[in-house]
Amino acid sequence: MALASLAVLLVLAGYAVLCAIQPFAPCRKCSGMGVRQARRKVKLCRRCRGQRYRLRLGRRLLNTGRDIHRAGTRRPHRHDPDEEFTPWP
């Protein structure tokens, strides 16, 4: 049981490092080509919009978590009428 938990933690840590080092991966739909052949036409891949790469799921989660944290800890702007502002911290 402990060995399986350790293996899962190592896999998750490895994926987190991979997402930090290389946040983009080749598109799975077009195999990183940026275009797809539909019958006799060549079209841009709709999933990656012709960019050939997609953002990894782990990196997307990291970015979302960072945005939520930033929005929750930001001090209100002085001229924002919806937020309460106190001049002392």
Side-chain angles (χ1 to χ4, degrees):
M1 182 72 166
L3 188 60
S5 298
L6 181 63
V8 168
L9 287 175
L10 286 176
V11 168
L12 288 175
Y15 184 68
V17 169
L18 179 67
C19 287
I21 293 173
Q22 198 173 28
F24 293 97
C27 178
R28 291 186 300 244
K29 193 77 166 182
C30 64
S31 301
M33 296 296 290
V35 292
R36 294 188 55 219
Q37 188 170 0
R39 296 186 186 176
R40 294 185 182 151
K41 295 181 182 179
V42 176
K43 295 182 176 183
L44 283 178
C45 177
R46 291 189 328 195
R47 183 174 286 178
C48 66
R49 297 181 195 99
Q51 298 294 317
R52 300 178 12 194
Y53 293 103
R54 63 175 175 83
L55 195 60
R56 292 184 191 271
L57 178 65
R59 187 59 182 221
R60 198 173 303 148
L61 289 172
L62 177 69
N63 290 349
T64 302
R66 198 175 333 159
D67 290 343
I68 290 172
H69 175 73
R70 188 180 306 127
T73 57
R74 188 178 326 155
R75 287 187 56 182
H77 192 269
R78 175 171 285 205
H79 302 292
D80 191 3
D82 295 334
E83 297 288 334
E84 180 181 335
F85 179 77
T86 56
W88 54 88

